[in-house]
Amino acid sequence: MTALAIRQKLMIYLADADDSTVKAIYTLLKNDIKEAGTFKLTEEQRQILEEEHHLHITGQTKSYTREEAGQIIRGQRGF
């Protein structure tokens, strides 16, 4: 059985399952569910972000407001 078929069967099952069954399944999977929603950076990515943050707070790089960034993205303004 493919993963897609299993997902479909699980969705159908959970839609009609009683509350105690849904809670039991959630208890079994809650750690996986929480980890799926988290984002983990590699050490290299973290270092890049730290360097960029340092340049920003020391005024060595230009900052843009949300509106300015939107204009740049839409090509209505240069950066």
Side-chain angles (χ1 to χ4, degrees):
M1 185 180 303
T2 67
L4 177 60
I6 294 169
R7 283 187 182 92
Q8 290 172 337
K9 284 185 175 278
L10 285 171
M11 286 189 286
I12 292 167
Y13 176 78
L14 286 172
D16 295 327
D18 61 84
D19 291 347
S20 62
T21 301
V22 172
K23 289 177 183 178
I25 292 171
Y26 176 78
T27 300
L28 289 171
L29 300 175
K30 69 182 173 185
N31 288 337
D32 289 340
I33 292 169
K34 287 179 185 176
E35 288 180 17
T38 61
F39 180 78
K40 295 181 182 178
L41 297 174
T42 65
E43 182 61 28
E44 180 183 5
Q45 291 168 328
R46 191 184 62 71
Q47 287 177 353
I48 291 169
L49 284 176
E50 286 180 5
E51 290 170 17
E52 292 294 328
H53 180 253
H54 174 74
L55 293 173
H56 172 72
I57 62 172
T58 59
Q60 297 178 48
T61 57
K62 172 87 172 97
S63 297
Y64 299 95
T65 66
R66 180 179 283 189
E67 293 167 351
E68 291 170 327
Q71 291 172 347
I72 293 168
I73 292 166
R74 290 187 298 276
Q76 299 170 344
R77 169 193 165 134
F79 54 97

